[in-house]
Amino acid sequence: MDTFKSLIVILMSSVLINNYVLSRFLGICPFLGVSKKLNQAVGMGIAVIFVMLMATAVTWPIQYYVLDKNDLSYMQTIVFILVIATLVQFIEIFLKKLIPALHKSLGVYLPLITTNCAVLGVTINNISDGYSFLESMVSSLGCGLGFLLAMVLFSGIRSKIDETNIPESIKGLPITLITASFISLAFFGFSGIVDNLFG
């Protein structure tokens, strides 16, 4: 039961409290670039969840069974980036063949998952936090769901912004960044929720 409780805490913390986009400010490029339309935001969010899970499943054993055992821990960042780049290429080929409409709508932002610092951040933080393989997978799932949540929320708000009469001086990127900062502030309200629920 304690293991299950700790996994729930890791999952909730990753989604709400330590949200990689809204709390740690990682993965901002796709967050700002692909959140104009809901279907693009959902597609990108699902792709990022998949990449985070697969990257964690591959990088965790590489870290503990290859890099650490051979005193190659200093190669961590390079190896992890290569793994993530390979996985993104796999997803791009998959989407191009099976869901060409989504592939076209994501455009240049799909290959940018390779350089999405949120994906790399998750894989490295799972190691530095000392998580087991199962905890790392749960953490990655939570971070991916948090990314998807942020994308969907922001997409909904941006669609309303487009219908609003906004002063010329803050149209475009300025109002987008102001809105993102308000959402980020709102997520700080989740701080302490895990402590209150699980002690």
Side-chain angles (χ1 to χ4, degrees):
M1 187 64 184
D2 285 340
T3 305
F4 179 73
K5 186 178 175 182
S6 69
L7 292 177
I8 294 295
V9 169
I10 290 170
L11 182 69
M12 288 187 65
S13 296
S14 300
V15 174
L16 299 174
I17 299 164
N18 297 319
N19 187 292
Y20 268 66
V21 177
L22 300 173
S23 296
R24 298 190 181 197
F25 307 108
L26 297 173
I28 297 294
C29 178
F31 176 69
L32 295 175
V34 194
S35 58
K36 289 180 183 175
K37 294 181 181 174
L38 182 61
N39 62 338
Q40 290 180 353
V42 171
M44 176 60 82
I46 291 170
V48 167
I49 290 171
F50 180 76
V51 172
M52 282 183 177
L53 286 169
M54 293 303 294
T56 299
V58 174
T59 57
W60 193 93
I62 287 174
Q63 178 69 41
Y64 285 103
Y65 299 116
V66 178
L67 298 180
D68 287 351
K69 287 200 172 182
N70 295 297
D71 294 325
L72 295 171
S73 296
Y74 61 90
M75 297 286 290
Q76 181 190 61
T77 305
I78 294 170
V79 171
F80 285 17
I81 287 173
L82 287 172
V83 168
I84 293 165
T86 304
L87 289 169
V88 170
Q89 288 301 311
F90 169 74
I91 289 173
E92 190 169 10
I93 291 166
F94 175 81
L95 288 178
K96 197 171 186 178
K97 287 195 177 235
L98 297 176
I99 316 172
L102 179 59
H103 178 267
K104 188 176 180 182
S105 70
L106 291 175
V108 72
Y109 293 100
L110 186 58
L112 282 178
I113 295 176
T114 304
T115 56
N116 186 340
C117 49
V119 178
L120 181 62
V122 167
T123 56
I124 290 176
N125 284 334
N126 286 337
I127 302 297
S128 63
D129 290 343
Y131 286 157
S132 66
F133 181 77
L134 180 59
E135 289 171 336
S136 295
M137 293 301 290
V138 170
S139 171
S140 296
L141 176 63
C143 292
L145 289 172
F147 184 87
L148 175 63
L149 176 65
M151 292 287 287
V152 169
L153 285 173
F154 198 51
S155 173
I157 292 171
R158 283 185 81 173
S159 68
K160 295 295 181 188
I161 289 174
D162 291 341
E163 301 167 4
T164 309
N165 187 16
I166 298 168
E168 285 293 327
S169 59
I170 60 169
K171 273 189 178 176
L173 187 60
I175 191 64
T176 302
L177 293 174
I178 291 167
T179 306
S181 66
F182 284 137
I183 296 172
S184 179
L185 283 171
F187 265 68
F188 278 112
F190 291 115
S191 299
I193 193 170
V194 172
D195 290 337
N196 290 332
L197 287 175
F198 298 101

